[in-house]
Amino acid sequence: MGHGQAAAQLRGGLMAAVTIWLVLPFLLSAAATWLARGYALGKSLLDHPGERRSHAVATPRGGGISIVACVLLGMAWIAVAHPAHRVSMAGLATGLMLVGGIGWLDDHRPLSPLLRLFIQALAALILGWVLYQATGAIQYAALAFVAVMVLVNVWNFMDGINGLAASQAAIAAFGYAWLLGAGPWLWLAAVLFASICGFLPFNFPRARIFLGDVGSGALGYMLAVLLAAAFSLSPAPGPALFLLLLPLSAFLIDAGFTLCMRILAGERWWEPHVQHLYQGWVRKVGGHAGVTLAYAVFSLLAVILMLAAVGWTAFWIVAGAITWYAAGILVWARLRKDVQLSKEAGQ
């Protein structure tokens, strides 16, 4: 067999594996979401319209359980196919079950915020332990802990309109998959991306089921996993962190600055509200789809910048990331001002 023929067969085998790895989770997630919708309707797990909601009709919640189930199956497959990663996958699966499990319970009956934070912190500690065991570096463990605590709650805060939280997670997972290269971390990013895509048709443009806390928390946790993994694998962790934060910039800017404003105003920042930019934007334009797509375009551009900047020097990576965030903050402030002016004009 010639070298060219062998290479062609290798490429063909890889493409077949990638196809199976993307199509199978997609189909399983779609089927599981359909089942979750039937379960939620049967149990009357519904989000009802209200002054702190952006939807107009009662909608089932908890559809994110399908993503959790598919990602757990993917972790099990990775553990079998790559024995050296069994302990890591077991730890990651434990953390995902903790975050997803407390969210699933909260979808059925509201729980104490402190209890949820405690469980999230436990999952964060487990991820930190996994990274420390794999690298022996405490800074990787610390980043993993912070990433879980931030992203789980950011995705929960930002899960308020059709398709927004799921599409943003899918875009970030796609970007991280390109950085993670071949191996178990690539497969993990791929199964997360495919599982989200299986859920999205039920959530966008018309929402037949919401992610629920089980889904939003799980997405934040898995993005923290991928971010921490990519950070630990980078030969230059400092500049890499600036790159890795780019796909998350839309949510970090909106959630972070809205949270700061609520804290400075002395409000109960942990309670539900409608002060995020995306919520005001929906009220202004009268629909979810355009806002979700606008956020998607912003994040796709961020992913393109991240991938383009991989070969840059450390100085230009840091400068590019700072410039992107500065531009994003200016856009956020301008749009928020427009939304406020539109609201005042309508009063």
Side-chain angles (χ1 to χ4, degrees):
M1 181 183 296
H3 176 73
Q5 187 178 0
Q9 288 188 355
L10 180 61
R11 287 195 299 269
L14 181 60
M15 287 300 297
V18 170
T19 301
I20 293 172
W21 197 240
L22 291 174
V23 172
L24 188 57
F26 174 86
L27 295 175
L28 288 175
S29 177
T33 303
W34 179 77
L35 292 173
R37 185 175 187 276
Y39 172 85
L41 289 171
K43 294 289 186 178
S44 296
L45 299 180
L46 303 174
D47 274 344
H48 294 276
E51 62 178 12
R52 293 181 176 179
R53 305 286 185 178
S54 297
H55 57 283
V57 297
T59 305
R61 63 176 179 266
I65 191 66
S66 63
I67 300 172
V68 173
C70 289
V71 172
L72 287 173
L73 287 174
M75 289 176 175
W77 183 91
I78 292 171
V80 171
H82 300 271
H85 290 266
R86 285 179 180 173
V87 174
S88 296
M89 289 300 122
L92 300 182
T94 301
L96 179 58
M97 287 188 288
L98 284 171
V99 173
I102 197 67
W104 182 245
L105 291 175
D106 196 57
D107 285 331
H108 286 73
R109 180 176 60 85
L111 302 174
S112 162
L114 289 178
L115 176 60
R116 295 201 305 270
L117 281 175
F118 173 77
I119 297 300
Q120 292 164 13
L122 185 57
L125 285 172
I126 293 172
L127 177 58
W129 175 82
V130 168
L131 266 293
Y132 183 75
Q133 291 296 311
T135 65
I138 192 66
Q139 65 266 30
Y140 297 142
L143 174 73
F145 180 88
V146 173
V148 170
M149 298 305 294
V150 171
L151 295 182
V152 166
N153 287 287
V154 164
W155 248 257
N156 183 266
F157 293 156
M158 298 294 289
D159 179 27
I161 63 173
N162 300 350
L164 182 63
S167 62
Q168 287 292 302
I171 291 167
F174 178 82
Y176 290 151
W178 277 89
L179 287 185
L180 289 166
W185 297 112
L186 167 62
W187 299 122
L188 189 58
V191 75
L192 175 62
F193 172 78
S195 300
I196 297 170
C197 290
F199 166 82
L200 262 172
F202 294 86
N203 188 240
F204 183 82
R206 183 175 68 87
R208 289 177 283 167
I209 190 168
F210 293 150
L211 279 169
D213 285 346
V214 59
S216 61
L219 291 180
Y221 173 80
M222 287 306 303
L223 291 177
V225 168
L226 297 179
L227 185 151
F231 180 73
S232 68
L233 294 172
S234 172
L241 183 58
F242 283 86
L243 281 182
L244 294 170
L245 291 176
L246 287 172
L248 311 175
S249 55
F251 270 22
L252 291 180
I253 289 170
D254 196 353
F257 279 88
T258 302
L259 176 64
C260 288
M261 292 179 65
R262 285 174 56 79
I263 292 174
L264 291 174
E267 300 176 8
R268 296 168 66 87
W269 54 267
W270 59 90
E271 292 184 346
H273 62 88
V274 288
Q275 296 180 29
H276 289 293
L277 170 62
Y278 76 87
Q279 293 168 319
W281 202 354
V282 164
R283 290 193 300 271
K284 178 181 178 180
V285 301
H288 294 199
V291 177
T292 295
L293 291 174
Y295 272 73
V297 169
F298 182 88
S299 293
L300 282 171
L301 292 175
V303 167
I304 291 171
L305 175 60
M306 176 182 73
L307 298 178
V310 168
W312 295 357
T313 63
F315 172 82
W316 288 112
I317 288 174
V318 173
I322 291 175
T323 301
W324 176 264
Y325 264 87
I329 293 168
L330 291 175
V331 170
W332 177 87
R334 178 62 188 180
L335 288 173
R336 186 178 178 87
K337 183 178 180 180
D338 289 345
V339 167
Q340 290 297 113
L341 290 174
S342 175
K343 180 180 177 181
E344 291 171 1
Q347 290 178 345

